[in-house]
Amino acid sequence: MAFDIDMIKQVYANMTERVDAARKITGQPLTLSEKILYSHLWQGKPTKELARGKDYVDFAPDRIACQDATAQMALLQFMQAGKAKVAVPTTVHCDHLIQAKEGAAKDLKHANSTSSEVFNFLESVSNKYGIGFWKPGAGIIHQVVLENYAFPGGMMIGTDSHTVNAGGLGMVAIGVGGADAVDVMAGMAWELKFPKLIGVRLTGKLSGWTAPKDVILKVAEILTVKGGTGAIVEYFGPGATSMSCTGKGTICNMGAEIGATTSTFGYDESMERYLRATDREDVADAANKVKDYLTADAEVYAHPEKYFDQVIDINLSELGPLLNGPFTPDLSTNVGSEMTEKASANDWPLVVEWGLIGSCTNSSYEDLSRASSIAQQAIDKGLKMKSELGINPGSEQVRYTADRDGILGIFESLNAKIFTNACGPCIGQWARYSDPKNAPKNSIVHSFNRNFAKRADGNPNTHAFVASPEITAAIAIAGRLDFNPLKDSLINENGEEVMFDEPTGWELPPKGFEVKDNGYLAPEEDGSHVKIAVNEDSERLQLLEPFTPLGNTITGAKLLIKAFGKCTTDHISMAGPWLRFRGHLDNIANNTLIGAINAFNKKTNFVKNQLTGEYDAVPAVQRAYKKAGIKTIVVGDHNYGEGSSREHAAMQPRHLGVAAVIVKSFARIHETNLKKQGMLGLTFANESDYDLIQEDDTFNFLDLNEFAPEKQLTIEAVHADGSKDVFKVNHTYNDSQITWYNEGSALNLIKKQNA
């Protein structure tokens, strides 16, 4: 039986009336995305048509999911909100703080020892406030959510950008910062600009070596890392319905890499099969009663150009396996000779040192079974592994079932390392090197979602390429980046030429899923007696102090850094070894912007302190300004804050005294996080004004006292020689968000309202 089945049935009961009302108001057929959005309005029944890309809308999500690294800050904020219990079903999943090194058993034991303080804190807070808790080793948040909580037609938010994975089960599931989650936990509305809609029509059918992963790798090539910003991507067509539910999840998961608000698929038979296989017959039965409401109206998919803002066509029968990378998830290359040419031209290492299979993107039973079919062929055909191989199962249920069915044993026969059911290398939790900064140039292939520099192992020289699990397995066995399993042969131990056959696998386990202990702990009905202790001397946890409002007069602000080129959340607040400080704002602030490239010297973590004229680390310079009572400005390039939902990338600069971030363009989640923390997130009205900013600049806001929706702000940059440039900046703040700014943060406003 499903969790929260009564809530799901109520969503379906509301959906029919609300969708019918929305269809009448808009006067046209509706996409699936619109049906879910209009049926989750905070006000209830829709009363007017909402403008895509323009109207800010209050929504009422059905549930919340938090992973342990972000849950710390989210729950520390919720503790300040003045509530006795969360207002909607919420879960916490411990998957980020487990480092991959020696293998599952030893790595999990080590994590439970070194991070016990954090795990105990999360468990006790969950118990106190009515939150479901998934223990370390239970699995990766998004796979566990797909198996237990996702349901067609629902709306979920989660404190991780890959929350969008649940679109594989027909949800609108959106990654947010912890402050957004706190709003909903506290019983308040969640605000989102009504998204634009991108339709992806899938025709043909996947076969051979082509996998669902290749669909999103192709979409990333077409749209680039920012092409989906402000939009929901809705997949449809015969190619979509022919795919498995977990395959759909893979596609939605990596939609985070194109900047999309989320991605989703209409309810179909593959979703019903998955629901029944994961012991949720009651959800499948309830969904079947309203199935016409859980996909777009037929007219929409028949004539998508009339109903979507953009339509992309992909013929799956013509799609081949792809490798995306290095250093960005949208640089796409066909396997084989095209990779040979590109690698040679760009000096990418052709020898592959590691293949990694798993992560929240590709760790289902189907993924492991298809990859294991390649591994089994290597055994049968007498091939030796040329690369090392690592496996991260997505959940304890997947791991237990795959082990029972001999899938993990096949990998182990090739000396693969089976890591914990956790994120591991995908988020930088990989103890690959003792000194990653000085590690050698190399290539790896993985089935993860992100491949920014230093992402997996901290080595800036690791060239990471994203592929499907089956292609990852084949390339790891061959040991060459340009190996094409469709055409190329390998020499086995007997000196014979052999070729791989096409991969095979199971959509769902033939003998059903099985698990002894799934790792779930239900909260007490009444947790009011639960005491939460945070040691004042703790390096890992720190209770929060409210931020002070920045005010409507900002003058004499110094430039902290002018970031050059790509500046992701990994550059602003690194993961890896820094994950241990995610619950301690002051300690983790010591990594603030240390990965950003200074535009004036093209170095990282080396900026000028205008008070001394000396160069130092970014956090050190910022702390000097804070001590002197001087506010600062960060300047950035396009798609600033791309990547993770981590609100630390906003909270750390705020904590240290940064008042405003001025960029050419923002990634959606990061812009919202800045707003939530009471900061100014601004964009140059003329992008070329980025070039006006000089190293010794001081900034004066000339009309901040007139801060209002849709009104530009005027900033004066005073240069070292006394000359000045005045430029305009745009913003997307509405009245509510300006109130957050005036109060110092959205959390301050919640506390005030609950007082």
Side-chain angles (χ1 to χ4, degrees):
M1 179 174 168
F3 289 94
D4 311 307
I5 185 62
D6 292 336
M7 176 269 284
I8 294 171
K9 289 179 177 178
Q10 187 59 53
V11 169
Y12 291 160
N14 293 336
M15 197 166 200
T16 53
E17 178 189 30
R18 294 177 183 181
V19 169
D20 289 345
R23 199 184 286 115
K24 190 172 182 180
I25 289 165
T26 61
Q28 64 179 31
L30 298 177
T31 63
L32 168 64
S33 305
E34 289 171 310
K35 289 181 180 183
I36 298 175
L37 294 170
Y38 275 111
S39 64
H40 283 84
L41 299 178
W42 178 254
Q43 69 193 49
K45 193 174 177 180
T47 55
K48 68 171 186 175
E49 185 173 1
L50 299 167
R52 299 178 190 173
K54 184 178 179 182
D55 287 343
Y56 280 94
V57 183
D58 286 341
F59 290 102
D62 302 314
R63 67 175 314 112
I64 297 167
C66 309
Q67 41 94 334
D68 49 353
T70 53
Q72 295 170 66
M73 197 57 71
L75 295 182
L76 284 164
Q77 291 177 88
F78 181 74
M79 288 167 63
Q80 305 292 313
K83 290 288 185 178
K85 206 166 189 176
V86 291
V88 302
T90 302
T91 52
V92 166
H93 304 256
C94 296
D95 61 356
H96 273 55
L97 299 178
I98 304 167
Q99 191 175 52
K101 186 178 183 181
E102 297 183 69
K106 290 182 178 179
D107 292 346
L108 182 58
K109 183 178 180 181
H110 180 73
N112 278 322
S113 172
T114 57
S115 292
S116 59
E117 178 187 12
V118 173
F119 294 146
N120 291 339
F121 167 77
L122 293 174
E123 183 179 340
S124 62
V125 175
S126 297
N127 205 17
K128 183 176 182 67
Y129 293 109
I131 297 168
F133 182 76
W134 291 80
K135 296 183 293 186
I140 304 170
I141 175 173
H142 309 304
Q143 180 65 28
V144 172
V145 165
L146 198 72
E147 291 175 9
N148 294 278
Y149 299 112
F151 66 97
M155 175 181 274
M156 176 175 72
I157 60 173
T159 60
D160 187 283
S161 54
H162 293 104
T163 300
V164 295
N165 189 79
L169 250 176
M171 292 194 91
V172 161
I174 301 175
V176 300
D180 275 4
V182 170
D183 284 355
V184 180
M185 288 182 200
M188 300 176 70
W190 173 63
E191 183 188 71
L192 178 73
K193 185 182 284 187
F194 201 76
K196 293 183 179 181
L197 300 176
I198 297 173
V200 180
R201 177 168 41 201
L202 302 178
T203 55
K205 190 174 183 180
L206 294 172
S207 62
W209 286 90
T210 311
K213 185 60 161 275
D214 297 303
V215 177
I216 185 57
L217 295 180
K218 186 65 177 178
V219 171
E221 176 191 358
I222 294 167
L223 287 175
T224 78
V225 291
K226 59 182 181 180
T229 302
I232 293 179
V233 182
E234 186 171 323
Y235 292 84
F236 63 94
T241 54
S242 69
M243 236 180 272
S244 69
C245 178
T246 52
K248 292 177 173 73
T250 290
I251 292 169
C252 292
N253 179 294
M254 224 182 128
E257 273 49 76
I258 57 171
T261 302
T262 191
S263 305
T264 194
F265 286 77
Y267 179 60
D268 62 16
E269 291 178 1
S270 71
M271 295 185 192
E272 180 180 355
R273 290 194 296 271
Y274 188 74
L275 286 169
R276 296 191 187 283
T278 51
D279 199 26
R280 288 176 288 174
E281 292 88 351
D282 42 2
V283 179
D285 292 341
N288 285 342
K289 292 176 184 177
V290 292
K291 62 182 178 182
D292 289 344
Y293 290 84
L294 302 177
T295 189
D297 292 329
E299 301 95 312
V300 171
Y301 291 162
H303 305 284
E305 292 80 5
K306 293 169 62 176
Y307 304 105
F308 290 98
D309 298 291
Q310 180 181 355
V311 177
I312 296 169
D313 278 287
I314 298 176
N315 185 340
L316 302 183
S317 300
E318 298 174 356
L319 185 66
L322 299 169
L323 284 163
N324 281 29
F327 307 128
T328 186
D330 59 356
L331 179 58
S332 196
T333 305
N334 292 305
V335 297
S337 59
E338 186 181 335
M339 177 57 77
T340 309
E341 294 169 13
K342 279 192 183 179
S344 300
N346 294 283
D347 196 27
W348 300 339
L350 281 171
V351 174
V352 173
E353 295 193 3
W354 271 87
L356 296 158
I357 296 169
S359 90
C360 61
T361 324
N362 279 107
S363 56
S364 67
Y365 185 90
E366 181 181 32
D367 290 324
L368 296 184
S369 70
R370 283 179 65 83
S372 73
S373 77
I374 304 304
Q376 183 64 57
Q377 288 185 56
I379 296 167
D380 296 341
K381 295 173 188 284
L383 292 168
K384 288 284 189 182
M385 287 287 303
K386 295 291 180 62
S387 310
E388 294 191 72
L389 184 64
I391 310 291
N392 280 84
S395 69
E396 176 57 15
Q397 179 168 268
V398 166
R399 187 211 65 80
Y400 189 93
T401 306
D403 191 36
R404 177 202 68 189
D405 294 347
I407 289 173
L408 298 187
I410 294 170
F411 291 126
E412 289 172 321
S413 296
L414 291 175
N415 294 317
K417 271 190 179 170
I418 310 299
F419 293 125
T420 316
N421 314 317
C423 302
C426 182
I427 52 125
Q429 283 284 53
W430 188 19
R432 183 184 180 192
Y433 298 111
S434 58
D435 183 15
K437 288 183 181 179
N438 296 305
K441 186 174 180 178
N442 72 103
S443 287
I444 65 172
V445 176
H446 60 56
S447 69
F448 306 161
N449 40 51
R450 293 200 176 125
N451 57 350
F452 305 142
K454 299 189 278 189
R455 171 80 180 184
D457 58 12
N459 177 6
N461 300 307
T462 292
H463 293 54
F465 295 84
V466 184
S468 68
E470 44 268 62
I471 287 293
T472 299
I475 288 178
I477 292 164
R480 279 187 64 87
L481 188 62
D482 57 351
F483 176 68
N484 182 355
L486 288 79
K487 296 180 179 180
D488 298 343
S489 59
L490 297 170
I491 306 298
N492 70 7
E493 293 176 287
N494 300 321
E496 302 162 334
E497 276 196 22
V498 297
M499 286 186 68
F500 286 118
D501 301 316
E502 292 177 352
T504 59
W506 293 275
E507 175 185 354
L508 296 162
K511 293 188 287 184
F513 283 110
E514 188 178 351
V515 66
K516 287 284 175 66
D517 176 10
N518 66 2
Y520 176 69
L521 296 177
E524 293 187 31
E525 189 65 34
D526 178 8
S528 59
H529 66 92
V530 177
K531 302 296 181 186
I532 301 167
V534 174
N535 190 330
E536 287 187 10
D537 298 325
S538 172
E539 289 187 342
R540 302 288 300 270
L541 297 165
Q542 179 187 46
L543 296 176
L544 295 175
E545 295 291 333
F547 289 134
T548 303
L550 293 167
N552 60 9
T553 303
I554 295 178
T555 57
K558 299 293 186 183
L559 177 70
L560 174 60
I561 186 171
K562 178 179 175 179
F564 174 79
K566 187 185 281 281
C567 190
T568 71
T569 47
D570 280 354
H571 296 93
I572 305 167
S573 174
M574 288 184 178
W578 291 94
L579 283 172
R580 65 191 304 269
F581 298 123
R582 282 286 181 86
H584 196 295
L585 184 55
D586 193 58
N587 282 348
I588 199 169
N590 289 322
N591 80 359
T592 304
L593 286 156
I594 63 175
I597 298 172
N598 181 355
F600 300 108
N601 57 22
K602 301 301 186 292
K603 295 181 179 180
T604 57
N605 204 26
F606 199 64
V607 296
K608 189 173 185 178
N609 181 336
Q610 292 188 43
L611 302 179
T612 65
E614 302 293 324
Y615 286 82
D616 204 344
V618 180
V621 171
Q622 179 54 49
R623 288 188 186 275
Y625 288 137
K626 181 178 182 179
K627 188 176 181 180
I630 297 171
K631 294 182 175 70
T632 59
I633 306 297
V634 170
V635 172
D637 213 316
H638 276 298
N639 210 28
Y640 184 89
E642 171 193 345
S644 167
S645 68
R646 69 191 68 148
E647 63 186 336
H648 297 76
M651 294 186 79
Q652 292 168 215
R654 177 74 163 102
H655 169 69
L656 292 176
V658 176
V661 179
I662 309 170
V663 300
K664 293 179 182 178
S665 65
F666 281 109
R668 175 191 62 85
I669 300 175
H670 186 65
E671 182 182 21
T672 300
N673 286 345
L674 293 172
K675 292 177 180 181
K676 286 279 182 177
Q677 302 306 331
M679 294 175 72
L680 292 170
L682 310 169
T683 55
F684 290 104
N686 297 305
E687 288 183 5
S688 59
D689 288 344
Y690 169 91
D691 299 323
L692 298 175
I693 308 304
Q694 299 177 23
E695 192 170 29
D696 291 292
D697 280 355
T698 299
F699 298 91
N700 300 313
F701 285 69
L702 303 182
D703 51 7
L704 189 55
N705 60 323
E706 300 171 13
F707 191 18
E710 298 185 14
K711 183 183 184 299
Q712 289 182 325
L713 293 174
T714 310
I715 300 176
E716 176 184 69
V718 182
H719 308 306
D721 62 3
S723 63
K724 300 176 181 178
D725 279 303
V726 176
F727 58 94
K728 297 282 188 180
V729 291
N730 297 326
H731 66 84
T732 59
Y733 288 73
N734 59 27
D735 286 323
S736 298
Q737 294 166 346
I738 290 173
T739 303
W740 301 341
Y741 175 80
N742 291 334
E743 292 292 338
S745 71
L747 181 60
N748 287 354
L749 181 62
I750 293 174
K751 288 177 65 176
K752 189 175 183 180
Q753 292 170 337
N754 286 334

